[in-house]
Amino acid sequence: MKPIDWVIVGGGAVGVTTACLLADAGFSVAILISPASPGLPEGPDDLRSYSLTPASRRILAACGIWERLAPARITPYDRLQVWDAARGATLAFDAASCGRPALAYMVEHSQLQAALQAALLARPTLSVHAATLETLRPGELCCHLQLSNGQSLAARAVAACDGGDSPVRAMVGIECEERPYPQHAVIANVRCDQPHRATARQVFLAEGPLAFLPLPDPQLFAVVWSTTPVAAQALVSASEAVFCAELGRAFDHRLGAVLASTPRLAFPLTRRHANTYSAARVVLLGDAAHQVHPLAGQGLNAGLLDAAVLAERATAAGMVGLQHPQALFQRYERQRRGEILALLAATDTLNQLFLAREPWLGWLRNAGLALTHRLEPLKRLLMAHAMGDSGDLPALARPAASELF
Ligand SMILES: Cc1cc2nc3c(=O)[nH]c(=O)nc-3n(C[C@H](O)[C@H](O)[C@H](O)COP(=O)(O)OP(=O)(O)OC[C@H]3O[C@@H](n4cnc5c(N)ncnc54)[C@H](O)[C@@H]3O)c2cc1C
């Protein structure tokens, strides 16, 4: 069997972006898309939305995915407000203060899925297999893969983009540090009395952060509420009226009354980080390599940067790089691991700082928020991080000179 250059396992956003970038670089590529993806409800009740950074926008644009999103369904936001419910200090970011049009863009799950599928269909040489991976056997010259539809494939390299539970990670014996957060995330779409005015808002409550993120209708918001597992269960099973009242109270009615809500879903939150990002001819990307708390809205953004870095490294190494891909994988890991460690540390520290009950820590975080709010250069640095414009970026994620501060 003639080996394919790359087999991508997983048809989420990270998998499809990786497949498109590698195919565009001239490699032969196959992608396995599980026919029974546990996908979330789509259409009018599409509960999941992503906040995507300008860096992610550039990566998705480079492989024609961004252009396939309906412009009317992309919601840019140019302001971000964060505050501490207990002591009231507020930190506000404004894209205009550094001459940028948007801090980030909200995109609904169903819209992203449709654009990903269209991008795959537009590449007839990229072969799509509606199957899950059942077994993987790394060999000297290639990996042998057995699919659920009875087919077998041979691959010079395998990119595992198969999510936080990554079966591929387990198949090649990569260990993963795993720690559940003491919170579940409740998600819902809600209608409020007041419009969002292109602003994302997040309050830190005693049990975790609560975010109201703007959607295309000016009075509609995607809510992500991290709270104790018991409280999350109660919020999911509460009536719509009780949920709206609880939510409005928790948010201090900053957007007026919460008028209506979709049904809610709750997810356990887990921190994961693979001990190494590769073994034999297999490399991990996205949630398969690292899973972070959603409070910073950076999980998918980090996965898209993985895809861009791997594609850039693979293109530079060419076919020679695929003979012994470990060197290529190590260069990819060197570029990504430090960034991921910093992201994990920042999100964990923020989460723990706000969960802490000690009064002196409450004072410290309040003073920290208030001080940061007044320090314009520090705010610019934080904004650059939040927009994905800092760190060791792959060329296609870098802002054009005209976009810079
Ligand atoms: C409440 C919440 C809010 C979030 N908000 C944001 C946000 O605003 N911005 C952001 O950047 N991130 C956000 N995230 C994180 C983001 O959702 C994830 O980081 C991202 O979806 C990971 O993408 P992925 O492609 O790596 O994995 P996934 O989306 O999990 O895709 C993995 C795919 O692999 C498939 N698969 C698994 N096993 C196999 C197999 N054996 N064979 C074939 N296929 C297989 C699965 O079916 C799935 O389709 C949020 C997360 C949560 C929980």
Side-chain angles (χ1 to χ4, degrees):
M1 190 188 306
K2 187 174 180 300
I4 300 160
D5 296 337
W6 286 90
V7 169
I8 317 298
V9 184
V14 176
V16 174
T17 304
T18 306
C20 291
L21 291 173
L22 289 169
D24 293 352
F27 294 104
S28 59
V29 178
I31 182 167
L32 313 190
I33 298 188
S34 165
S37 279
L40 289 153
E42 294 181 3
D45 288 329
D46 189 356
L47 291 191
R48 186 100 168 234
S49 298
Y50 304 96
S51 169
L52 296 178
T53 59
S56 290
R57 175 190 175 146
R58 287 177 213 115
I59 295 167
L60 294 174
C63 49
I65 295 172
W66 190 264
E67 285 64 23
R68 290 184 163 82
L69 294 167
R73 307 300 303 179
I74 302 171
T75 314
Y77 63 87
D78 57 11
R79 273 169 296 170
L80 169 64
Q81 291 171 2
V82 180
W83 67 96
D84 177 0
R87 292 172 184 253
T90 300
L91 178 56
F93 298 101
D94 184 351
S97 70
C98 47
R100 302 290 289 269
L103 290 174
Y105 305 85
M106 291 301 296
V107 175
E108 294 146 297
H109 179 76
S110 57
Q111 293 292 317
L112 186 58
Q113 285 304 313
L116 295 172
Q117 272 171 26
L120 286 178
L121 286 175
R123 290 171 171 82
T125 56
L126 200 165
S127 76
V128 179
H129 299 261
T132 48
L133 177 68
E134 296 214 318
T135 61
L136 180 147
R137 191 164 46 81
E140 173 71 19
L141 298 174
C142 64
C143 277
H144 302 275
L145 298 97
Q146 185 63 47
L147 315 192
S148 57
N149 60 5
Q151 257 187 301
S152 325
L153 297 175
R156 292 191 167 87
V158 173
C161 308
D162 50 348
D165 288 327
S166 180
V168 174
R169 191 178 64 216
M171 285 176 198
V172 293
I174 296 179
E175 291 194 8
C176 182
E177 181 201 318
E178 187 168 317
R179 183 155 38 86
Y181 287 108
Q183 296 145 325
H184 284 194
V186 176
I187 59 167
N189 290 349
V190 303
R191 177 171 291 281
C192 290
D193 205 16
Q194 293 172 20
H196 52 64
R197 296 192 179 85
T199 305
R201 298 165 173 88
Q202 181 155 267
V203 58
F204 282 89
L205 303 165
E207 286 79 29
L210 164 62
F212 275 61
L213 303 159
L215 289 176
D217 177 322
Q219 278 172 271
L220 266 193
F221 298 81
V223 163
V224 183
W225 190 349
S226 303
T227 186
T228 63
V230 173
Q233 204 39 57
L235 291 169
V236 168
S237 42
S239 68
E240 183 184 350
V242 169
F243 175 71
C244 289
E246 288 276 311
L247 184 61
R249 212 173 10 254
F251 208 59
D252 204 17
H253 303 291
R254 296 233 179 172
L255 291 158
V258 179
L259 304 173
S261 169
T262 58
R264 281 74 64 195
L265 285 180
F267 300 87
L269 296 177
T270 306
R271 176 201 203 276
R272 290 191 174 98
H273 196 199
N275 289 357
T276 172
Y277 293 172
S278 68
R281 290 179 171 269
V282 176
V283 62
L284 310 181
L285 292 90
D287 277 18
H290 44 75
Q291 219 174 347
V292 299
H293 197 288
L295 70 87
Q298 290 293 344
L300 180 52
N301 291 305
L304 294 175
L305 279 168
D306 293 348
V309 169
L310 183 71
E312 187 170 277
R313 295 290 182 180
T315 307
M319 287 306 293
V320 180
L322 284 184
Q323 282 169 14
H324 302 287
Q326 269 306 316
L328 153 66
F329 295 163
Q330 278 161 14
R331 283 194 288 275
Y332 154 78
E333 178 159 352
R334 269 200 297 277
Q335 194 169 342
R336 293 302 295 145
R337 184 171 276 277
E339 305 278 340
I340 296 300
L341 282 169
L343 177 61
L344 283 163
T347 47
D348 288 357
T349 307
L350 260 181
N351 196 35
Q352 278 156 18
L353 193 62
F354 282 94
L355 288 180
R357 296 282 190 268
E358 293 84 348
W360 70 272
L361 272 175
W363 177 88
L364 187 69
R365 69 178 183 239
N366 199 57
L369 277 182
L371 184 67
T372 310
H373 185 65
R374 288 197 295 273
L375 291 177
E376 212 45 52
L378 178 58
K379 267 168 69 172
R380 282 181 184 222
L381 204 68
L382 291 173
M383 266 194 285
H385 269 285
M387 290 191 283
D389 285 354
S390 61
D392 191 359
L393 290 177
L396 56 84
R398 282 180 211 145
S402 57
E403 289 180 70
L404 284 170
F405 302 131

